[in-house]
Amino acid sequence: MAAMSRIIIAALLLSVTVQAQDARQAPTAGDGPDPWFGTFSIIAFDPATNELGVGVQSRAFGAGAAVPYAKPGVGAVATQASANRQYGPKAIALLEQGLSPAEVVKRITDEDPGRDTRQVAVIDAKGRSAVYTGKRVIDRNHDPKDLVHLGGFAGFAAGPNFSAQGNTLASEDVVKAMAAAYQAGKGSMAERLMDALDAGQSKGGDTRGMQSAGILVVKPLPANSDSTVERIVDIRVDDHEEPFKELRRVLNMTLGVPNRLTERSAQLAKEGKFAEAIAEQKKALEINPRNEQAMYALAQRYAQAGDTKQALEQLGHAIRRQPKQWKPQAVADPIFAKLASLPEFKKLVLP
């Protein structure tokens, strides 16, 4: 019995030893082409609004959750390539201690044995930025054995209050286009970040393609503010064939674009410009296709234009989603007065 116990214990010890050796020998991110993911991003600070932001796209799942970090009044970080997610919180903490972005980047990369596989960009609330691109991130673009990354570009283009950076890019034109688009932008920071990402993609973007994207924008709370929202934009698309198209749609929802389009549509209808009013309301519905208020508003526009068939169809969509709200509202709505006697209308609105 004792001999049998010794055999079992020895077998268990051997199993543990083999597993430990396997773990030590297992490939880590950066050991070959598979763990690497091409990414391009932009970090920015707006001195007019004190907003800090990050925009990112990658041929990897969930880049919007892994790459961007930001803290209001402190700074923003993009960690990518074979990303070290500890860079984000570490960099923010060092910025809070008063280190410059250049000092922060040097500190976190000096402490990282895997720094040659990293790319990281840091910006502070003074608009100063610094970027580090590891040697292996650059060298892989010239390695004839690495067919995934061969011929790609890794680097950055920086200017006052921003930096655009990437790896496995079609060319340096990607980051140059991002820089130009951001500087030329006229909208909010989030919109300018989105425009910069689009511009980078227009020059070829990530040579491996597209999969995920994200935008993060933070802003300090005003003194004595009742608001608790510091992350004024925090959106991402984790897995999509057209991540930028979807990201812009979500951004438009975040910025309240459908509501503004609905208001404009109503005003155009009052002016008798029904075709334009319908077109604007359709745009609102395209951005937020499951919003029954937008459906109801489109029904109103069709009714005002005299298109009974389309008015009833859109009204039906709204009522089926929220019958308790839209049935009584449609009955009392003077815009639908001419439809009230129709059997189809009665069927929609009656209990």
Side-chain angles (χ1 to χ4, degrees):
M1 200 59 188
M4 180 63 70
S5 297
R6 286 195 295 272
I7 292 172
I8 292 173
I9 291 171
L12 288 171
L13 289 172
L14 177 61
S15 174
V16 170
T17 301
V18 170
Q19 289 176 13
Q21 289 175 341
D22 287 345
R24 287 195 298 269
Q25 294 169 0
T28 58
D31 282 348
D34 289 342
W36 294 80
F37 297 106
T39 303
F40 57 94
S41 65
I42 179 167
I43 55 174
F45 169 68
D46 188 340
T49 62
N50 288 322
E51 293 174 352
L52 287 153
V54 185
V56 61
Q57 193 283 140
S58 181
R59 179 59 175 88
F61 176 81
V67 172
Y69 293 81
K71 185 170 183 178
V74 179
V77 183
T79 174
Q80 52 202 50
S82 180
N84 183 336
R85 296 197 188 190
Q86 294 181 3
Y87 278 3
K90 281 185 176 180
I92 295 296
L94 291 171
L95 288 174
E96 287 185 297
Q97 293 175 23
L99 275 68
S100 70
E103 292 170 328
V104 169
V105 166
K106 186 177 188 308
R107 174 80 67 85
I108 61 178
T109 54
D110 282 351
E111 295 174 351
D112 180 10
R115 58 185 170 272
D116 285 351
T117 69
R118 320 293 191 202
Q119 187 174 52
V120 61
V122 177
I123 193 166
D124 66 9
K126 297 179 181 178
R128 301 176 299 178
S129 65
V131 181
Y132 170 86
T133 303
K135 184 177 183 298
R136 288 184 64 188
V137 179
I138 298 171
D139 289 349
R140 62 182 177 165
N141 296 315
H142 310 288
D143 183 356
K145 296 179 181 179
D146 189 347
L147 299 181
V148 174
H149 304 100
L150 183 62
F153 170 80
F156 70 98
N161 302 311
F162 79 91
S163 175
Q165 50 283 322
N167 57 88
T168 318
L169 303 182
S171 72
E172 188 177 2
D173 288 342
V174 174
V175 289
K176 287 183 176 179
M178 293 171 69
Y182 182 78
Q183 289 178 298
K186 301 297 182 183
S188 66
M189 171 174 279
E191 290 170 306
R192 293 168 69 189
L193 293 175
M194 185 75 249
D195 290 344
L197 292 174
D198 273 330
Q201 186 59 37
S202 74
K203 296 299 182 180
D206 177 351
T207 59
R208 296 180 61 167
M210 305 177 74
Q211 184 173 359
S212 64
I215 292 176
L216 172 63
V217 178
V218 300
K219 182 179 181 179
L221 293 175
N224 303 318
S225 172
D226 292 332
S227 175
T228 59
V229 180
E230 292 182 315
R231 291 184 169 223
I232 57 177
V233 175
D234 187 2
I235 59 173
R236 65 181 201 255
V237 176
D238 286 341
D239 186 23
H240 201 280
E241 290 184 0
E242 297 182 272
F244 282 176
K245 181 178 179 180
E246 179 65 4
L247 189 67
R248 189 173 286 278
R249 185 187 73 82
V250 176
L251 176 60
N252 284 335
M253 288 181 64
T254 303
L255 298 178
V257 172
N259 291 338
R260 294 200 294 273
L261 287 168
T262 295
E263 291 171 2
R264 174 167 167 74
S265 173
Q267 181 58 41
L268 287 168
K270 287 181 181 179
E271 297 170 4
K273 300 175 182 178
F274 299 121
E276 294 177 49
I278 290 170
E280 290 295 281
Q281 193 56 50
K282 282 184 175 180
K283 291 178 185 177
L285 196 54
E286 287 173 2
I287 294 171
N288 195 355
R290 289 175 291 278
N291 184 276
E292 65 275 1
Q293 185 173 355
M295 299 172 190
Y296 184 89
L298 184 56
Q300 289 179 312
R301 301 294 88 80
Y302 277 124
Q304 289 169 307
D307 190 335
T308 300
K309 180 181 178 181
Q310 287 294 335
L312 291 170
E313 181 178 333
Q314 292 300 324
L315 182 60
H317 292 326
I319 287 175
R320 280 188 288 274
R321 294 184 72 87
Q322 289 287 351
K324 291 183 179 180
Q325 178 178 0
W326 301 114
K327 280 187 177 185
Q329 185 156 331
V331 170
D333 193 336
I335 291 177
F336 296 125
K338 292 182 179 180
L339 307 183
S341 61
L342 297 177
E344 299 91 337
F345 182 82
K346 292 178 180 179
K347 184 178 180 180
L348 283 174
V349 301
L350 290 178

